[in-house]
Amino acid sequence: MKKLLEITLGIVTSIGGFLEVGSLATSAQAGAAFGFQLIWAIVLGTVCLIFLVEMSGRLAAVSKQTLAGAMRDRFGYPFFLVPLVAMSLLALLVMASELGGVCLSLQLVTGISFPWWAPVGAFAAWLLLWKGTFSVVEKGASLFGLVTIVFVIAAFRLHPDWTRAAHAALPSMPRHEAMRYWFFAVSILGASIAPYLLYFYSAGAVEDKWNETDVPVNRITATLGMSFGGVLAVAVLIVAALVFVPRGIRIERFDQIALMLTPIMGRWGFYLFAAALGIACFGAMLEIALSVAYLVAQGFGWKWSEDARPRDAARFSLVYTATLVGGALIVMMGVDPLAITLMSMALTGAFLPIAIVPFLILMNDSRFVGQHTNGWISNTVVCAIVGLAFVLAVVSIPLEVMGS
Amino acid sequence: MDIALVRDLLDKQLVDREGEPLGRVDGIVMSYSADAPPRITHLELGAQTLARRLPNPFRSILAWLGRRLSPRASEPYRIEAERIIQLGRVIKIDIDGARSAARETERWVRDHIISRIPGS
């Protein structure tokens, strides 16, 4: 019974954790520009994330080590600095886009323009981390995150051509705007395979004191949970394709995406979109701030725990505070939130090998995972998808930057 | 018991008597003399030790920054090897962490920043 509850919780967790501004914006833009054609990128990203999340849970359950701690242990301090610096900088960008999502959602509801909401959103997230515990963050973000199911309902109400959608699950060559197509593909991959999720998940597993008996449960949780997240992202893409393509709308600004549910659900659609966006992004902000704090504190061997009072884990609390402040400053500078979201997701794709290859080496090292080392399937699948994301990123990012 | 310095000591998590984190093994100090085999004398912690492990120019920049920021903490903190009471996934040290210099930065951040924010 307790195990069953854990599985449910894991699924709910991913609903809160998977669909955030990155997946939302990239899926919606891809749907508006290329119809169903890019569904395959979401499928690949989700498959890769299932394997990776399962691995980070297994690492934590067997070795009682978090991903960040194990990285420094295995590869030593100088090498550890590379993912540390890359992931922290990237997390700041992603934090800014999530906060941008929260601000936009508040702007939609109140009409007050969005840079003003940045300090409010960042403060609210900080307060929750400062006063809350890990389970408050985890369960709160997940339960409220259930509102994102509205996209699945919307997709069904549009009666899409499911055979065509199923065909799009296999990769195909673009018929027009080839560079834009590949840039969207890598942005979707980067949005799905969020490395910060892995640090968060493994720290959560250690915080919840998992052991080897949790390995099977972890497998089910990762598979069902991340698949559900993938379904949500596909639903967003389908809705965007069916709403925007016939009307000839190209998405250039964030507030255009906000109208995607209105033709289906009317005024309610507008508010439900705002709620889904705000809550999903707020949950992601909490996870990113904690992930950076976990990464730094575990890497340097400081005391870390979201359950401890801030004064008892001072440097850990300082890091998540600084991450939130940094994100808020970027948003207040008034950068275009849609541009920063797309770019940070594509950059994530480019950084994936740095984050993932050392992780794979750990998962094949019996000193860390004992008899629970990776099989050849998971090694091959993850390598192939990460390799694809990297190649696409290296090719398409410079062209996108030059083009815009 | 066979111990590989880099595999089993360097970069491992250090905890005090109570099992509370102290930091990680940033460096290892050994002594050599003519008539005895080399011996591990201390484990080293600190920003300066970490800076020394990087290639230049990072090493010089970090070392300079460290001296400017906190002249007091620029000396690495050393733990005598005799105080190691347990080797494994974490390394347990027979010291009172609450008063140890290994936690000086943690205490500084707590007293000067975190404690001043309400609700800490």
Side-chain angles (χ1 to χ4, degrees):
Chain A
M1 190 57 215
K2 187 179 160 273
K3 294 278 174 206
L4 198 71
L5 195 73
E6 256 177 65
I7 297 174
T8 334
L9 207 67
I11 295 166
V12 178
T13 303
S14 89
I15 301 172
F18 191 99
L19 195 76
E20 31 66 69
V21 69
S23 291
L24 232 164
T26 54
S27 303
Q29 272 211 310
F34 296 99
F36 290 176
Q37 213 187 346
L38 274 162
I39 287 180
W40 63 267
I42 300 179
V43 174
L44 277 190
T46 308
V47 168
C48 190
L49 188 66
I50 290 173
F51 280 107
L52 290 171
V53 166
E54 189 277 329
M55 286 178 206
S56 71
R58 176 152 44 97
L59 175 73
V62 178
S63 75
K64 317 282 187 296
Q65 294 233 51
T66 60
L67 177 52
M71 288 256 245
R72 167 136 186 216
D73 246 2
R74 175 67 176 74
F75 300 102
Y77 159 77
F79 181 86
F80 171 73
L81 274 188
V82 180
L84 178 78
V85 172
M87 286 303 120
S88 307
L89 292 179
L90 207 55
L92 267 186
L93 280 184
V94 181
M95 173 64 87
S97 40
E98 304 298 347
L99 182 57
V102 171
C103 294
L104 179 73
S105 137
L106 291 167
Q107 177 187 336
L108 291 174
V109 179
T110 61
I112 301 170
S113 90
F114 90 85
W116 294 102
W117 285 113
V120 180
F123 180 74
W126 174 81
L127 197 64
L128 203 63
L129 293 178
W130 195 256
K131 300 301 281 182
T133 60
F134 184 77
S135 105
V136 167
V137 170
E138 190 186 30
K139 287 171 194 149
S142 330
L143 278 180
F144 284 110
L146 283 172
V147 71
T148 52
I149 290 179
V150 66
F151 290 107
V152 180
I153 300 168
F156 271 98
R157 283 177 68 171
L158 287 169
H159 304 294
D161 180 350
W162 292 111
T163 13
R164 226 158 49 77
H167 275 295
L170 293 174
S172 54
M173 297 308 273
R175 286 179 287 268
H176 57 98
E177 290 183 285
M179 252 20 263
R180 195 115 188 101
Y181 179 86
W182 296 117
F183 182 71
F184 280 162
V186 70
S187 302
I188 290 177
L189 285 174
S192 314
I193 315 168
Y196 73 85
L197 209 63
L198 307 175
Y199 295 104
F200 181 81
Y201 194 79
S202 75
V206 169
E207 201 131 45
D208 285 342
K209 302 203 169 48
W210 286 13
N211 58 43
E212 269 182 71
T213 61
D214 290 302
V215 170
V217 180
N218 169 52
R219 188 162 299 152
I220 301 171
T221 307
T223 313
L224 290 181
M226 298 304 137
S227 311
F228 210 96
V231 167
L232 287 175
V234 171
V236 171
L237 186 143
I238 288 179
V239 172
L242 295 178
V243 168
F244 295 126
V245 174
R247 292 172 176 78
I249 299 174
R250 279 187 63 106
I251 295 176
E252 259 126 33
R253 294 189 326 276
F254 237 128
D255 39 351
Q256 289 175 297
I257 304 179
L259 297 174
M260 68 189 288
L261 292 179
T262 317
I264 312 158
M265 301 172 176
R267 197 143 186 81
W268 274 104
F270 180 76
Y271 287 118
L272 278 171
F273 179 89
L277 176 74
I279 289 166
C281 294
F282 190 75
M285 282 178 67
L286 299 176
E287 288 190 8
I288 295 164
L290 280 180
S291 301
V292 178
Y294 286 139
L295 176 63
V296 177
Q298 291 158 0
F300 288 106
W302 306 338
K303 168 128 180 141
W304 61 275
S305 170
E306 169 54 12
D307 291 338
R309 292 168 58 202
R311 51 164 44 250
D312 293 330
R315 284 181 282 187
F316 171 78
S317 312
L318 185 68
V319 176
Y320 69 63
T321 307
T323 311
L324 284 166
V325 172
L329 288 178
I330 297 178
V331 176
M332 284 155 75
M333 285 182 341
V335 286
D336 174 18
L338 187 57
I340 200 175
T341 302
L342 277 188
M343 194 41 81
S344 57
M345 295 308 143
L347 281 176
T348 306
F351 276 123
L352 275 180
I354 298 175
I356 303 304
V357 172
F359 180 33
L360 281 182
I361 296 175
L362 274 178
M363 295 310 296
N364 287 285
D365 188 335
S366 60
R367 283 199 297 119
F368 286 88
V369 280
Q371 50 167 344
H372 299 276
T373 46
N374 273 358
W376 65 271
I377 300 181
S378 42
N379 285 332
T380 316
V381 170
V382 170
C383 278
I385 299 177
V386 166
L388 174 72
F390 178 71
V391 172
L392 287 182
V394 169
V395 175
S396 68
I397 292 177
L399 290 164
E400 175 70 19
V401 172
M402 282 189 294
S404 64
Chain B
M1 178 175 157
D2 277 345
I3 295 172
L5 284 189
V6 172
R7 194 191 65 193
D8 301 324
L9 272 185
L10 195 61
D11 290 312
K12 288 281 174 296
Q13 175 77 49
L14 288 167
V15 297
D16 66 6
R17 247 177 251 145
E18 267 74 52
E20 289 291 308
L22 285 170
R24 281 179 180 265
V25 181
D26 297 329
I28 298 167
V29 184
M30 299 182 72
S31 75
Y32 299 84
S33 56
D35 49 354
R39 195 171 65 87
I40 300 173
T41 57
H42 296 90
L43 305 179
E44 231 178 38
L45 288 83
Q48 292 296 313
T49 314
L50 286 177
R52 274 202 291 275
R53 289 175 65 187
L54 293 179
N56 262 327
F58 303 105
R59 186 194 325 179
S60 339
I61 297 171
L62 281 178
W64 176 82
L65 207 66
R67 280 194 302 273
R68 292 299 300 267
L69 284 179
S70 71
R72 269 189 313 144
S74 65
E75 280 304 303
Y77 171 66
R78 286 183 169 184
I79 296 170
E80 294 92 7
E82 289 77 23
R83 289 188 178 272
I84 298 175
I85 39 184
Q86 191 189 313
L87 277 176
R89 186 177 56 80
V90 295
I91 298 175
K92 202 169 204 171
I93 306 290
D94 185 22
I95 59 168
D96 176 7
R99 271 180 287 166
S100 155
R103 289 233 191 93
E104 195 172 284
T105 325
E106 178 82 18
R107 278 195 296 269
W108 191 92
V109 171
R110 184 188 70 198
D111 297 339
H112 290 83
I113 305 174
I114 300 296
S115 298
R116 298 191 177 174
I117 305 173
S120 65

